[in-house]
Amino acid sequence: MNTKEVCETLNISSKTLRIYEEKGLVQAQRGENNYRNYSDNDIVKIKHIMFLRELGFSIKDIKKLIEKSGYNNEFLRNLYIQYKAVKAKINELENIKSTLKVSINDIFSEGEEKSKFSYLKKMNDVLDENKNVHKEWIDQWNFDSWAKSYDASVLDNTQDELKLFDGYKDIMNKLRGIIKENNAEKVLDIGCGTANLCGVLSEKLDITGMDQSVEMLILAQKKYPKMKFKFGNFLDVPFIENEFDIIVSTYAFHHLTAQEKRKALDIMLKYLKPNGKIIIADLMFLNNEKKEECKRKFQNENRLDLWEEIEDEYYTVIEDFKSYAEFCECNFYYEHLKNFTWLIEIKFS
């Protein structure tokens, strides 16, 4: 496409298009007559830039994101950027919405005159907070940092004083054994990461891996091309129901709060066949007493820094989760595996 055709197709001015080019956001090839010739990839890239501009991103910020995203799987990564940008924008708007609601209620309780100053302060604070979060989001964006090092990090415990992934290979082998023992044909792996658990099973079984990191999924797909993949997480509305013999998850459940875990169980049970089973290996405490005992241990050792690392996540309290599973009319089995890692199995009664 030439410049005129691009402007008509995308409803963009030639001046804006030239600015994008001057700033290095897009570079069209030139033909023999020296006229610009925009490829299909250029068109998609320009639309990507326009989308981010609509969300309030500066040209400088967009350039940073484009530079960090790399060139492999560019279209997929651009869609992922857009998805994350929309989520960030929704959070910003929710913060503003919450502030407006509080300020409206302040007027009813304190009157308009008294509420004006407090409104201005609250709104300035929330807008400053949104601005800082937005800047951190741009600065920290990196597709490759965690995904590329994930496989090595779970196998190398030398830098992990808590030994969270101690016995990782043995745990993966144990779970694969349980899947085989149950004669599963169709398996859903939620929080699959780079498919370390189920990838090797995808040669013979129908395996779907789900993860909320696109980069993890890109690497997993390269490692195990026969495996199916879905972008999503525990709390997404089920994309299919009553289809899976096994739903499995390893080292992902601790990212959910207690309330989210209950919701996640409700959703996983919808995925499951009537005679199916949920298998979770993750970081957990048996009960709140054991959790407090662990905290005291770190306090006595003057290592509250390690306890804070644990508190940054949401380790499952097994007895509490067992009560909810039984409320859902499920059988619940649990077993300690290694350090903080426990195994739980859930199936319909």
Side-chain angles (χ1 to χ4, degrees):
M1 284 190 186
N2 59 33
T3 300
K4 183 179 178 184
E5 290 170 331
V6 171
C7 291
E8 290 175 351
T9 301
L10 298 180
N11 193 25
I12 185 175
S13 70
S14 58
K15 181 180 177 181
T16 301
L17 202 54
R18 296 287 169 84
I19 291 172
Y20 292 168
E21 190 170 315
E22 289 169 7
K23 298 297 183 181
L25 296 179
V26 63
Q27 294 294 335
Q29 297 293 320
R30 290 186 180 257
E32 293 180 2
N33 54 11
N34 205 34
Y35 289 161
R36 292 173 178 80
N37 183 23
Y38 294 91
S39 68
D40 289 345
N41 286 339
D42 291 330
I43 303 302
V44 172
K45 194 171 189 178
I46 293 165
K47 190 64 181 176
H48 172 59
I49 295 164
M50 293 171 66
F51 183 87
L52 293 177
R53 290 289 289 148
E54 282 291 321
L55 291 177
F57 285 76
S58 68
I59 288 177
K60 182 180 177 182
D61 287 344
I62 294 171
K63 189 172 182 180
K64 275 186 185 179
L65 290 173
I66 290 173
E67 288 171 351
K68 288 183 177 184
S69 68
Y71 297 99
N72 295 324
N73 305 98
E74 184 178 6
F75 179 50
L76 173 59
R77 284 180 163 126
N78 284 347
L79 293 185
Y80 187 44
I81 288 176
Q82 292 176 23
Y83 171 82
K84 297 288 279 186
V86 168
K87 280 190 71 176
K89 192 67 178 180
I90 289 170
N91 287 336
E92 290 178 14
L93 292 174
E94 284 292 340
N95 289 340
I96 293 171
K97 176 184 169 185
S98 177
T99 301
L100 289 170
K101 186 174 181 180
V102 168
S103 297
I104 288 170
N105 282 322
D106 285 346
I107 292 173
F108 283 112
S109 61
E110 299 177 11
E112 286 197 7
E113 287 304 316
K114 287 185 178 180
S115 302
K116 285 177 182 176
F117 180 76
S118 63
Y119 158 74
L120 292 173
K121 185 179 185 308
K122 287 187 183 84
M123 189 55 72
N124 283 338
D125 288 345
V126 77
L127 293 177
D128 286 343
E129 180 187 347
N130 282 350
K131 191 182 296 181
N132 290 333
V133 170
H134 179 85
K135 183 178 184 303
E136 287 174 9
W137 188 84
I138 297 293
D139 291 343
Q140 292 174 6
W141 182 269
N142 192 332
F143 280 100
D144 301 321
S145 59
W146 176 231
K148 277 190 172 181
S149 63
Y150 179 78
D151 288 353
S153 67
V154 295
L155 294 173
D156 180 11
N157 270 318
T158 55
Q159 302 299 316
D160 178 16
E161 293 186 77
L162 289 170
K163 304 295 181 188
L164 298 180
F165 295 104
D166 208 13
Y168 183 80
K169 281 186 176 180
D170 291 337
I171 291 167
M172 296 297 110
N173 286 331
K174 182 178 178 68
L175 266 64
R176 283 191 284 267
I178 296 172
I179 291 170
K180 292 175 183 177
E181 287 167 7
N182 282 269
N183 298 314
E185 296 179 358
K186 200 166 185 179
V187 179
L188 174 63
D189 183 356
I190 305 181
C192 66
T194 58
N196 287 338
L197 174 63
C198 289
V200 294
L201 301 176
S202 62
E203 291 291 325
K204 295 183 178 180
L205 303 181
D206 184 348
I207 309 284
T208 300
M210 180 189 288
D211 204 281
Q212 61 184 358
S213 166
V214 162
E215 188 65 16
M216 290 283 194
L217 294 176
I218 289 172
L219 291 177
Q221 192 171 52
K222 287 178 181 176
K223 288 165 64 178
Y224 302 105
K226 290 187 178 180
M227 192 167 161
K228 301 171 185 174
F229 294 98
K230 285 277 186 183
F231 173 56
N233 60 52
F234 285 103
L235 303 177
D236 287 341
V237 174
F239 59 87
I240 197 166
E241 294 190 13
N242 307 315
E243 282 289 326
F244 294 98
D245 302 298
I246 294 284
I247 297 168
V248 65
S249 180
T250 54
Y251 297 104
F253 210 51
H254 62 280
H255 297 307
L256 303 179
T257 65
Q259 184 176 354
E260 288 170 338
K261 285 180 173 69
R262 292 191 288 271
K263 182 178 178 182
L265 178 58
D266 294 338
I267 291 170
M268 286 189 284
L269 291 172
K270 290 181 180 178
Y271 281 119
L272 207 60
K273 289 180 180 178
N275 59 344
K277 180 182 285 188
I278 297 168
I279 305 167
I280 301 172
D282 198 50
L283 309 172
M284 308 185 189
F285 290 104
L286 176 59
N287 50 42
N288 286 309
E289 289 76 15
K290 290 293 183 183
K291 184 176 180 179
E292 284 301 313
E293 184 181 310
C294 180
K295 180 179 180 180
R296 287 195 297 271
K297 175 179 175 291
F298 285 122
Q299 284 176 328
N300 294 335
E301 294 171 356
N302 199 28
R303 291 305 309 269
L304 279 176
D305 57 316
L306 294 180
W307 178 251
E308 287 171 3
E309 189 175 330
I310 291 171
E311 285 278 83
D312 281 342
E313 302 289 356
Y314 305 98
Y315 289 26
T316 302
V317 177
I318 292 172
E319 291 182 357
D320 291 349
F321 193 53
K322 179 175 182 286
S323 296
Y324 185 72
E326 290 173 345
F327 171 78
C328 296
E329 300 183 340
C330 292
N331 293 327
F332 189 99
Y333 166 83
Y334 61 90
E335 175 186 346
H336 182 240
L337 299 180
K338 190 84 173 180
N339 295 344
F340 292 99
T341 303
W342 291 70
L343 167 70
I344 59 178
E345 298 180 26
I346 302 170
K347 61 182 181 179
F348 292 111
S349 300

